[in-house]
Amino acid sequence: MPLGPLRAQLDAVLSVRSRRVVDRGDLVQAAVLVPITDRGEPNLLFAKKTASVPHHRGQFSFPGGVVERDDASRVETALREAWEEIGLPASAVQIVGLLDDTETRATPFVITPVVGIVTGRVRFVPDGREIERVLEVPLSVLRDPAVFHTETWERSGESHTVHFYQVSPDDVIWGATARIVNQFLALLDGGGDEP
C-alpha cells in the first residue's frame, strides 16, 4: 500500500476508535514514536538499544522514553525522545494519532504509542549512548506470516502471549514493541484490538 492511501486509512480508523488508556500510579508513563518512513513503500522505523541502557538492553523499540514533567503531552515526549535518540526533528513528523496504551511486562512502564509519518529524507543518527542503530522494516515484511510467531511465557504465575517478528536472520522485534506492531497492523487490516 502506498503512503498516501495508508495515511488516509490510518486517519479514518484512528479518528473514530476509542483508545485504551492506562492511568495507573504504579507504572512509569512513557511514550514512543511509531515512525512511518517511505522508501518506495511504507516502512516502520525501529531503534536498537545499546547494551548499556538500564532497561531492554539490545532490544528493538520505537524511539521514545519516559514522560518528563515539562512535556506538555505524550506527543511532545515521543517527538523529544526521537530527536534525542536518532536525530529525527519534530518538524519532519506529521502526527497521525495515538494507539492503545501498552504495559511492559518485565518493567513497570506503560507506553503511549504515537503514530507519525516522517516527511522527506531524514538522516537518522543514533545517539550511541541509548541507541546503537536504526532499522527500517517494510510493512510488507511485517505483514508476512513467515516472520511472525507467538510463544506463551509465564511471569509471576500468569501466562502471557509474547509476539515475535523475525525480520532478518539477526533482527527480532518482540515484547511490548511487537505488541504495538501487532495492534498497528490489525488496525490496517480492519481490526483494532490485539488478538
Side-chain angles (χ1 to χ4, degrees), residues 38-50:
D38 188 359
R39 302 291 185 225
E41 67 175 301
N43 287 249
L44 289 186
L45 181 147
F46 301 91
K48 185 173 185 183
K49 296 194 174 285
T50 64

Side-chain angles (χ1 to χ4, degrees), residues 1 4-14 143 186-190:
M1 173 184 298
L6 174 70
R7 169 68 192 258
Q9 185 175 354
L10 285 170
D11 283 341
V13 170
L14 292 175
R143 290 178 125 160
L187 288 173
L188 293 180
D189 293 337

